[in-house]
Amino acid sequence: MWRSRFLRGAGCLLHGTGCIPCKPSHFPPWRYLSFYQPCLNPVLQRSFRAPAWYCFENRLRPAVALYFCRTLRKDAKSIMDFPAQPLAVTDIKQYLRSKDIPFYDGYSCLHAPSIFMEPAPEGSGKENYSLFIDKTTGQFQCKETLVEGSWEDLQDCIEVMLNENQTSISPNVLLGFPESMEEQEEREMEMKEVQRIWSSSVPFSDLLDEEVQLIKIMFLIGKLTNATLKKFGVRFFKPTKSLVFPWFSGHDSGLRGVKLLSVAVKDDGQVVYTEATVPKISSYHNLFGLPLIGRKDGEVVLTGREIDSMAVSQATGLPSLALPRGVSCLPPILLPYLEQFKKVTLWLGGDMRSWEASKIFSRKLGLKRCSLIRPGDFQPCPSEALAQGRHLARIVKASIPAAHKSIVSFKQLREDVYGELANVEQVAGIQWSRFPELNRILKGHRKGELTVFTGPTGSGKTTFISEFALDLCMQGVNTLWGSFEINNVRLAKIMLTQFAKQRLEENLDQYDMWADKFEDLPLYFMTFHGQQNIKTVLDTMQHAVYLYDISHVIIDNLQFMMGQENLSVDKFAVQDHIIGAFRKFATNSCCHVTLIIHPRKEEDDKELQTASIFGTAKASQEADNVLILQEKKLVTCPGRRSLQVAKNRFDGDVGIFPLEFNKASLTFSAPVKGKQKLRKVKVDKNNSTEEIEETELKEKSEKAPKPAKAKTSKTVKGSAALKNTTDGEGNDQ
């Protein structure tokens, strides 16, 4: 029995994720990493003479092909493997006690002697508690042997060890699952590429002073000393004009990967910094600066960038580490490396997104030991603070505790209120790039909110919301899809078509290129399909938030979770319970939940309203945003669909704007042209009656010979329904 369970989990252990192994695909095509040779600002060209190796001629020119393989992302495929039942820390403790395994509580992990090493003699005082068990998921990791796996794997190992009357078990027992040829070749090529980049890169001590000065200006690190760069092992890779940040193993200080930071200047003069990692950041987790941490260090500063980590270390002398994925994710596999610290200060950046990430990460690390640095004019990110001559040690000392009491006074909230007033655009959330009109009304996508989305059957709700979510995912919003109506393969096909903005079935030669880019998105899918229990769905969502720091969950749709096991229970009461559960989850997990709900059956010539949402009024009451996809079924020309924001709790703005569906790319973000746009409301000052001027097509469908000055009662009723919709929309035409 245990052998079969080992085989099921071993593939996951090889990649350090909870996902099942991917199926081999056809022979891998050529693949290039995107690096570009930047062109300096003209001011810098006048101030410094560029060295011979630097080229100013082409602003964006591919510089080098880094490796020859097709990258398969293991933790972002369309399947996520979650435990059937949530694991409680009491269950873990009870099991360890029943097997006479000593342990003690850590901040986020249980510490136990490693069963993969021979135990130290009793009384020697050298017991090595190097086995870390995550209190939330049960995932284990041995820091000495680097063996890791699931809670079920650890149970199997313990049972085998005890049944054979052994004091330890070989770590190779979990490494017997054979790799496929493609996976083995990919891993070997990635490590060869890591060594090639590292050996080809140049330490700053070997560069000319003029070159070093120019590089520091390019990457805005003029205040970092050469000694600091040497201490952290930073080098310069000339072929791509990139800084090279090494990832060393905390176990044997071996090189495990590199991150390259490149700079480019666009045609409009905007400077853009891009990152690339080898191996891909999804397949390897590490902390920059880990080998510099001593065993007795009790305090650390966590930053979101390698440059920030070096700035903190240079200015304060405190141990400092950089998270591999910045503010987007704190992988639980890193928690054992942070267990030794009694105080963790999170200084992830100088914007509101970094501030939100700090509060979320502090929950994983343990609120009682975490302190946060609130962004502000006098507390920017560490590298900017160093460049401005700020006192970084004083900023770290003034950090605020992450743990809050249940009751607070305005004095404690004063700085938070000021932060929201001073950073209005950042507080509004992440902007959509494909839907500028949505930015104008909703202002942005914010964490902790509940959005209810509805529309007529067959109007394209799933297609629209997939592009809606894809837009955010492309900007780094970690997204989890729960599609109960259509399967994941079909949904992924829709999103990939929207991502490429073309029919890939007609351009199969481009499939691998677009699929490789699509794999890099922080996008995950639940494996549920059809009727599901709400508790199972919520447990899966909570698990995903912990593992992948999911910040946006889409549920399509609510009706598939109402179930049929309790036919005697009022269906409206069941729906209210589900909506309340999602509302609570969004608030407690600081995660945005988009919930698709079918509307009541309405006549084809009537537009939907908030009251058209199926069920009671609880859905619209609990929601922070209500979006309605309107469709004129009697109209067949472009402009028949529009998106109405019927509720916006953030600032109260509501409105409506037209959508044009592009069947080739399955997108709604194409601009609407000509007369098909909705026209603004005209107000008659004499009788204060609002008049809506409809399009010519609708007038023909209503068989109106010519426009009348006084609307019929039916039209006036429709205009009243759109009163808030059209206020202040003079720019929509």
Side-chain angles (χ1 to χ4, degrees):
M1 292 293 293
W2 63 269
R3 293 183 183 275
S4 62
R5 298 179 70 178
F6 278 156
L7 292 177
R8 286 198 303 270
C12 307
L13 301 179
L14 294 174
H15 312 301
T17 67
C19 302
I20 66 173
C22 301
K23 296 181 180 179
S25 60
H26 56 80
F27 186 79
W30 282 102
R31 177 180 171 94
Y32 296 86
L33 282 187
S34 297
F35 286 97
Y36 299 98
Q37 293 183 349
C39 178
L40 288 181
N41 188 286
V43 176
L44 302 183
Q45 295 182 35
R46 290 195 300 269
S47 302
F48 295 95
R49 182 175 59 85
W53 48 263
Y54 200 87
C55 175
F56 292 103
E57 296 179 359
N58 295 327
R59 287 178 173 246
L60 295 175
R61 186 179 65 188
V64 64
L66 284 188
Y67 54 87
F68 169 64
C69 70
R70 177 180 179 180
T71 303
L72 298 178
R73 179 170 180 167
K74 305 303 185 297
D75 64 347
K77 297 296 286 183
S78 60
I79 295 179
M80 296 180 66
D81 190 15
F82 293 107
Q85 296 294 334
L87 188 64
V89 66
T90 54
D91 297 333
I92 300 176
K93 293 180 178 179
Q94 288 177 2
Y95 179 82
L96 295 177
R97 291 191 186 102
S98 67
K99 303 302 178 181
D100 295 326
I101 298 177
F103 66 89
Y104 67 88
D105 264 302
Y107 296 102
S108 53
C109 300
L110 297 177
H111 302 225
S114 177
I115 64 173
F116 303 100
M117 300 172 56
E118 286 294 334
E122 293 186 10
S124 62
K126 296 182 180 180
E127 291 81 2
N128 190 359
Y129 284 75
S130 60
L131 185 67
F132 296 84
I133 306 171
D134 193 294
K135 293 182 180 180
T136 303
T137 64
Q139 289 278 128
F140 76 90
Q141 179 182 16
C142 175
K143 289 179 64 176
E144 295 296 330
T145 61
L146 299 183
V147 177
E148 57 189 42
S150 66
W151 171 242
E152 291 77 13
D153 295 329
L154 181 60
Q155 286 179 300
D156 290 336
C157 290
I158 294 174
E159 294 295 338
V160 172
M161 183 184 69
L162 295 179
N163 290 338
E164 296 181 358
N165 294 322
Q166 300 291 327
T167 57
S168 64
I169 190 171
S170 171
N172 295 327
V173 70
L174 289 177
L175 301 178
F177 190 84
E179 288 183 298
S180 67
M181 290 296 295
E182 182 175 336
E183 291 172 340
Q184 186 176 2
E185 290 177 1
E186 176 189 351
R187 180 172 55 83
E188 292 176 354
M189 280 201 162
E190 284 182 333
M191 293 313 300
K192 287 181 180 179
E193 189 60 32
V194 169
Q195 294 296 335
R196 188 188 72 82
I197 294 174
W198 183 246
S199 60
S200 301
S201 58
V202 183
F204 276 75
S205 58
D206 295 344
L207 294 172
L208 299 176
D209 292 340
E210 185 182 33
E211 294 176 346
V212 172
Q213 191 175 13
L214 181 60
I215 294 169
K216 287 185 176 181
I217 291 178
M218 287 168 53
F219 293 95
L220 305 178
I221 56 173
K223 291 296 183 71
L224 288 180
T225 64
N226 292 346
T228 300
L229 296 171
K230 181 180 179 181
K231 175 183 175 182
F232 282 86
V234 180
R235 296 185 178 184
F236 188 71
F237 190 52
K238 289 186 177 181
T240 58
K241 313 300 182 292
S242 307
L243 290 181
V244 180
F245 303 109
W247 282 337
F248 293 109
S249 170
H251 172 62
D252 55 6
S253 297
L255 183 65
R256 300 288 297 276
V258 292
K259 176 185 285 189
L260 295 97
L261 178 66
S262 305
V263 62
V265 180
K266 293 185 176 180
D267 293 335
D268 58 359
Q270 182 182 2
V271 180
V272 179
Y273 294 90
T274 57
E275 294 180 351
T277 61
V278 185
K280 300 194 73 174
I281 203 166
S282 58
S283 60
Y284 180 70
H285 309 287
N286 205 340
L287 291 160
F288 176 73
L290 189 61
L292 302 178
I293 301 297
R295 291 182 177 271
K296 296 183 179 180
D297 288 333
E299 182 179 356
V300 70
V301 179
L302 282 184
T303 67
R305 300 189 307 156
E306 290 77 10
I307 293 176
D308 289 339
S309 182
M310 292 188 289
V312 170
S313 177
Q314 175 179 304
T316 66
L318 293 172
S320 181
L321 299 171
L323 298 177
R325 303 191 188 185
V327 300
S328 64
C329 182
L330 172 57
I333 200 68
L334 297 177
L335 297 180
Y337 296 104
L338 302 172
E339 281 288 294
Q340 75 178 74
F341 303 109
K342 296 180 180 179
K343 181 179 180 181
V344 179
T345 303
L346 288 96
W347 194 356
L348 300 183
D351 55 7
M352 294 304 296
R353 188 175 183 183
S354 302
W355 174 243
E356 291 179 354
S358 299
K359 292 186 287 186
I360 295 173
F361 294 169
S362 63
R363 299 178 187 177
K364 288 186 180 182
L365 296 166
L367 292 173
K368 293 183 179 180
R369 65 166 174 162
C370 288
S371 296
L372 313 179
I373 295 179
R374 181 188 290 110
D377 293 337
F378 300 101
Q379 296 182 165
C381 67
S383 58
E384 291 182 7
L386 182 65
Q388 296 172 10
R390 306 283 181 188
H391 200 294
L392 273 71
R394 189 176 301 166
I395 295 176
V396 173
K397 189 176 181 179
S399 59
I400 60 176
H404 292 285
K405 298 179 180 179
S406 299
I407 301 176
V408 296
S409 64
F410 178 73
K411 183 178 180 180
Q412 295 169 284
L413 300 175
R414 179 169 178 166
E415 292 300 322
D416 290 329
V417 174
Y418 176 80
E420 294 212 358
L421 294 175
N423 302 278
V424 176
E425 293 183 359
Q426 296 179 19
V427 172
I430 298 175
Q431 305 288 297
W432 287 271
S433 61
R434 299 191 178 196
F435 302 101
E437 288 296 319
L438 203 55
N439 295 327
R440 186 179 60 80
I441 302 174
L442 279 181
K443 305 303 183 291
H445 182 270
R446 297 166 289 275
K447 293 182 179 180
E449 292 189 350
L450 174 66
T451 294
V452 169
F453 179 68
T454 190
T457 302
S459 60
K461 293 190 297 297
T462 301
T463 305
F464 171 80
I465 211 68
S466 65
E467 185 182 11
F468 172 94
L470 176 65
D471 188 340
L472 299 169
C473 189
M474 291 170 63
Q475 300 180 62
V477 177
N478 298 347
T479 304
L480 175 65
W481 252 99
S483 176
F484 309 116
E485 198 167 53
I486 64 175
N487 61 51
N488 288 328
V489 174
R490 184 181 171 194
L491 176 61
K493 176 185 173 183
I494 293 173
M495 298 187 74
L496 181 59
T497 303
Q498 294 173 334
F499 181 70
K501 293 186 177 180
Q502 60 177 308
R503 284 189 173 275
L504 291 176
E505 55 263 41
E506 300 174 359
N507 301 279
L508 288 178
D509 57 323
Q510 301 181 24
Y511 173 78
D512 281 314
M513 179 192 69
W514 287 110
D516 286 339
K517 294 180 180 180
F518 192 72
E519 280 184 359
D520 292 335
L521 298 178
L523 179 63
Y524 305 87
F525 300 88
M526 299 187 205
T527 56
F528 303 133
H529 189 66
Q531 296 286 349
Q532 295 298 330
N533 180 272
I534 177 61
K535 185 178 184 303
T536 304
V537 175
L538 287 174
D539 288 340
T540 302
M541 291 165 56
Q542 192 65 53
H543 194 74
V545 167
Y546 181 80
L547 282 180
Y548 304 104
D549 292 293
I550 297 297
S551 54
H552 187 201
V553 179
I554 303 100
I555 300 297
D556 183 16
N557 56 65
L558 177 134
Q559 277 77 2
F560 278 91
M561 277 175 296
M562 296 177 64
Q564 298 179 356
E565 60 271 12
N566 296 318
L567 297 178
S568 60
V569 179
D570 182 9
K571 60 182 179 180
F572 295 122
V574 174
Q575 177 174 325
D576 289 350
H577 167 72
I578 294 174
I579 293 173
F582 281 124
R583 168 75 269 176
K584 183 178 180 181
F585 172 84
T587 303
N588 295 343
S589 302
C590 197
C591 176
H592 193 113
V593 177
T594 298
L595 185 60
I596 300 177
I597 304 179
H598 284 309
R600 295 191 181 98
K601 298 301 179 183
E602 301 279 5
E603 296 181 11
D604 291 344
D605 60 341
K606 289 185 178 180
E607 291 187 340
L608 298 180
Q609 302 176 1
T610 303
S612 303
I613 300 174
F614 182 83
T616 66
K618 187 176 180 65
S620 58
Q621 291 171 351
E622 294 280 0
D624 297 285
N625 313 295
V626 175
L627 307 182
I628 303 175
L629 183 61
Q630 301 284 7
E631 182 183 30
K632 301 175 183 178
K633 294 187 177 181
L634 300 180
V635 178
T636 57
C637 67
R640 59 181 293 195
R641 295 183 181 91
S642 57
L643 183 68
Q644 179 181 355
V645 179
K647 181 180 181 181
N648 175 11
R649 187 171 282 168
F650 179 70
D651 65 355
D653 284 354
V654 294
I656 188 170
F657 59 91
L659 297 172
E660 182 178 349
F661 180 66
N662 187 323
K663 191 172 182 179
S665 61
L666 302 181
T667 58
F668 284 90
S669 53
V672 180
K673 302 178 181 179
K675 300 181 179 179
Q676 307 304 332
K677 291 188 177 183
L678 296 184
R679 301 182 181 180
K680 63 182 180 181
V681 173
K682 292 184 178 181
V683 180
D684 188 346
K685 297 181 180 180
N686 296 328
N687 53 16
S688 299
T689 302
E690 294 180 343
E691 299 179 356
I692 297 182
E693 186 178 352
E694 302 289 349
T695 62
E696 295 179 0
L697 289 171
K698 185 167 184 179
E699 289 174 357
K700 291 181 180 180
S701 65
E702 294 177 353
K703 297 182 179 180
K706 58 182 179 179
K709 295 183 179 180
K711 298 287 183 181
T712 63
S713 58
K714 181 175 180 179
T715 307
V716 171
K717 182 178 179 181
S719 101
L722 293 176
K723 179 179 180 180
N724 291 332
T725 297
T726 51
D727 285 347
E729 293 201 7
N731 296 328
D732 274 1
Q733 311 317 312

